[in-house]
């Protein structure tokens, strides 16, 4: 395992952090505690020492899970990062209420790295007026938090002013080769580093977009590389190639993925990709931009939908319609995954959307969700949807 130092406190952090937003889960969506605990502890035993969670992850179950999983001496081996749910804060008192509840959930007396969650410009302005700087100062002074930071999902124009508004220790940004110019982007990465902030990177694989379904056109570009690597390794190495990055979070929930990530995290030094390799990644980026229809990362911040739409699954399959050369199979999988043939019961079709717009303020990617759901209905539902649902049930369950 390679380590990089936090600029302000010289903590040596593993360049690979364990993200707890997409833990191993059971069929009903609940955390598979036995498997997830084994995975987390194995990663820690191999050198991972930064673990990231948040109040809403797994519908509130991630923090309590982590408190249990870090028993038996594992708490002392890691730095815990969690986040004030900024979007739920209405008063100055709320800030202490949530932090104290998180300390109890995590079964710890301090949070090593505490972030204001998912800031955009307007949200920062709101909690700043409520006294969040005073809250952070006092929580650091009394030892409940050690380092103060923020995660960011806003427009680039707001990032620098938030960096300058408080004496932060670190920040967390979305960064991958498709998002080099989105949100904080490369300019934000360099600005934060110039202010001596540690930088934690989330979504290095864009919620799996860069690895789950690799179009043939993209695979052909990767195959041109003299040194063969998986799409996940290319994506991770691209982020780690930036010396300004301290830690890269990975939502690891498959044993094989954990092994691969650990291996790469023992080799990925900054500035280690050649110019030819960087140009190859750029070509892959351009090809993805040609093919993709919606820039969803599957973060689920838009969920739950009050009308029951499974927005991330709808968008995942909608992208697959254009990333894969098999539209009929994608349409069948849409019927299967949302029609009850695969998973825990029927529900979630895009046609359930009533255009209420509640998802719009929640989406960190600023996607026009209702309008794109209309396109999903047009291209993935249709008059034969019930027939495809019946076909999927017969195929997957052996009956109708």
């Amino acid at each position: 395992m390679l380590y990089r130092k936090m600029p302000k406190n010289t903590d040596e952090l593993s360049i690979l952090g364990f993200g707890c937003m997409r833990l191993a889960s059971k069929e009903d969506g609940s955390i598979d505690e036995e498997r997830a605990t084994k995975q987390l502890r194995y990663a820690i035993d191999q050198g991972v020492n930064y673990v990231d969670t948040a109040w809403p992850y797994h519908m509130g179950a991630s923090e309590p899970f982590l408190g249990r999983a870090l028993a038996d001496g594992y708490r002392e081996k890691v730095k815990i990062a969690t986040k004030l749910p900024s979007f739920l804060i209405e008063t100055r008192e709320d800030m202490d209420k949530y932090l104290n509840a998180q300390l109890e959930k995590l079964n710890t007396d301090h949070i090593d790295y505490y972030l204001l969650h998912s800031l955009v410009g307007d949200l920062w302005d709101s909690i700043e007026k409520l006294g969040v700087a005073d809250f952070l100062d006092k929580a650091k002074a009394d030892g409940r938090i050690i380092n103060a930071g923020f995660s960011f999902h806003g427009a680039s124009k707001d990032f620098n002013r938030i960096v300058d508004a408080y004496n932060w220790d670190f920040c967390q940004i979305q960064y991958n080769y498709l998002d080099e110019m989105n949100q904080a982007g490369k300019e934000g990465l360099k600005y934060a580093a110039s202010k001596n902030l540690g930088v934690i990177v989330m979504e290095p694989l864009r919620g799996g977009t860069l690895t789950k379904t690799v179009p043939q056109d993209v695979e052909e570009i990767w195959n041109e590389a003299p040194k063969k690597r998986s799409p996940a390794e290319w994506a991770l190495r691209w982020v780690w190639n930036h010396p300004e990055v301290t830690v890269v979070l990975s939502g690891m929930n498959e044993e094989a993925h954990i092994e691969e990530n650990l291996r790469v995290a023992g080799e990925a030094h900054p500035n280690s990709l050649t110019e030819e390799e960087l140009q190859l990644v750029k070509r892959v980026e351009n090809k993805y931009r040609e093919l993709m229809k919606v820039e969803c990362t599957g973060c689920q911040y838009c969920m739950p939908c009050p009308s029951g739409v499974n927005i991330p699954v709808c968008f995942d399959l909608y992208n697959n319609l254009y990333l894969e050369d098999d539209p009929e199979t994608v349409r069948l999988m849409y019927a299967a995954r949302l029609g009850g043939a695969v998973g825990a019961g029927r529900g979630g079709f895009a046609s359930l959307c009533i255009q209420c717009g509640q998802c719009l303020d929640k989406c960190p990617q600023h996607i026009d969700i209702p309008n794109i759901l209309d396109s999903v209905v047009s291209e993935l539902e249709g008059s034969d949807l019930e027939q495809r649902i019946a076909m999927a049930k017969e195929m997957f369950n052996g009956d109708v």
Side-chain angles (χ1 to χ4, degrees):
M1 177 64 63
L2 297 177
Y3 297 84
R4 298 185 187 181
K5 287 186 178 181
M6 269 284 174
K8 288 190 176 181
N9 64 20
T10 68
D11 279 352
E12 291 200 348
L13 301 180
S14 55
I15 66 170
L16 176 65
F18 201 109
C20 296
M21 187 171 76
R22 300 182 176 99
L23 295 165
S25 299
K26 299 177 181 177
E27 189 172 296
D28 64 3
S30 64
I31 298 170
D32 185 336
E33 290 224 8
E34 181 178 0
R35 185 181 179 200
T37 299
K38 287 180 180 178
Q39 292 175 342
L40 175 62
R41 291 185 175 187
Y42 177 77
I44 294 170
D45 289 340
Q46 304 307 308
V48 170
N49 68 1
Y50 189 92
V51 183
D52 173 272
T53 184
W55 181 272
Y57 290 176
H58 282 275
M59 301 300 179
S62 180
E63 288 176 326
F65 159 78
L66 191 56
R68 294 186 290 272
L70 292 179
D72 304 323
Y74 279 87
R75 170 66 183 97
E76 291 71 31
K77 298 179 180 182
V78 300
K79 304 294 186 183
I80 291 179
T82 194
K83 309 171 186 76
L84 179 76
S86 313
F87 34 83
L88 299 178
I89 301 301
E90 297 180 355
T91 66
R92 167 66 177 80
E93 291 71 27
D94 283 346
M95 302 174 195
D96 288 299
K97 179 186 75 173
Y98 280 105
L99 171 56
N100 292 336
Q102 288 172 300
L103 290 168
E104 185 174 347
K105 285 183 173 185
L106 289 162
N107 192 29
T108 187
D109 62 359
H110 70 279
I111 307 296
D112 302 285
Y113 288 85
Y114 197 65
L115 304 96
L116 309 185
H117 198 177
S118 197
L119 292 189
V120 297
D122 290 347
L123 181 55
W124 165 250
D125 293 339
S126 173
I127 62 173
E128 185 181 35
K129 288 175 184 176
L130 291 174
V132 75
D134 174 71
F135 161 70
L136 293 172
D137 287 344
K138 289 181 177 176
K140 289 182 76 172
D142 64 29
R144 286 178 296 164
I145 68 175
I146 308 303
N147 301 283
F150 67 95
S151 66
F152 185 79
H153 279 297
S156 58
K157 64 182 178 63
D158 292 317
F159 182 76
N160 289 9
R161 72 180 181 90
I162 295 175
V163 167
D164 292 338
Y166 182 77
N167 184 26
W168 307 103
D169 299 295
F170 71 113
C171 64
Q172 184 168 310
I173 64 172
Q174 177 170 317
Y175 198 60
N176 54 68
Y177 63 75
L178 278 185
D179 288 318
E180 189 174 11
M181 301 302 169
N182 293 344
Q183 300 185 24
K186 186 174 183 178
E187 288 187 7
L189 171 66
K190 290 187 174 296
Y191 189 75
S194 76
K195 296 294 184 175
N196 219 29
L197 270 61
V199 179
I200 312 298
V201 166
M202 56 185 157
E203 302 290 3
L205 308 181
R206 224 170 195 256
T209 297
L210 305 179
T211 58
K212 283 191 300 186
T213 303
V214 181
Q216 184 176 348
D217 290 350
V218 170
E219 189 172 355
E220 288 174 358
I221 298 173
W222 287 139
N223 287 340
E224 293 179 25
K227 188 175 181 62
K228 304 306 178 188
R229 296 175 174 133
S230 72
E233 181 171 352
W234 277 111
L236 290 169
R237 281 183 179 271
W238 184 90
V239 180
W240 277 320
N241 199 59
H242 296 75
E244 302 89 353
V245 171
T246 311
V247 175
V248 174
L249 298 175
S250 178
M252 301 176 278
N253 52 32
E254 296 284 346
E255 286 74 12
H257 298 166
I258 295 170
E259 290 289 359
E260 179 180 28
N261 290 355
L262 289 167
R263 175 184 61 77
V264 180
E267 304 170 357
H269 293 275
N271 297 317
S272 58
L273 292 182
T274 67
E275 184 57 35
E276 291 76 14
E277 289 172 328
L278 291 171
Q279 288 303 313
L280 191 78
V281 176
K282 189 68 178 176
R283 289 174 55 205
V284 168
E285 174 201 343
N286 291 337
K287 181 55 65 175
Y288 267 117
R289 293 197 184 284
E290 290 177 22
L291 297 171
M292 288 175 62
K293 289 294 181 179
V294 54
E295 300 206 346
C296 175
T297 69
C299 70
Q300 301 205 26
Y301 286 6
C302 58
M303 298 292 283
C305 165
S307 298
V309 180
N310 193 326
I311 299 168
V313 168
C314 287
F315 286 173
D316 180 44
L317 290 162
Y318 185 47
N319 269 333
N320 287 353
L321 190 64
Y322 291 88
L323 294 174
E324 298 180 14
D325 189 26
D326 192 355
E328 288 310 310
T329 295
V330 175
R331 291 187 176 96
L332 182 64
M333 287 308 301
Y334 180 82
R337 290 178 67 180
L338 299 175
V342 177
R346 178 168 176 161
F349 288 112
S351 52
L352 294 173
C353 176
I354 61 171
Q355 304 280 315
C356 70
Q358 290 189 29
C359 52
L360 293 173
D361 290 335
K362 298 178 183 179
C363 178
Q365 315 306 323
H366 312 292
I367 298 168
D368 189 353
I369 293 174
N371 281 339
I372 296 177
L373 286 173
D374 273 346
S375 299
V376 176
V377 174
S378 298
E379 300 194 47
L380 287 176
E381 294 196 17
S383 59
D384 64 339
L385 179 60
E386 290 297 329
Q387 181 180 345
R388 280 184 279 124
I389 292 171
M391 185 185 305
K393 286 183 177 180
E394 185 173 8
M395 180 181 298
F396 289 101
N397 300 329
D399 55 29
V400 179

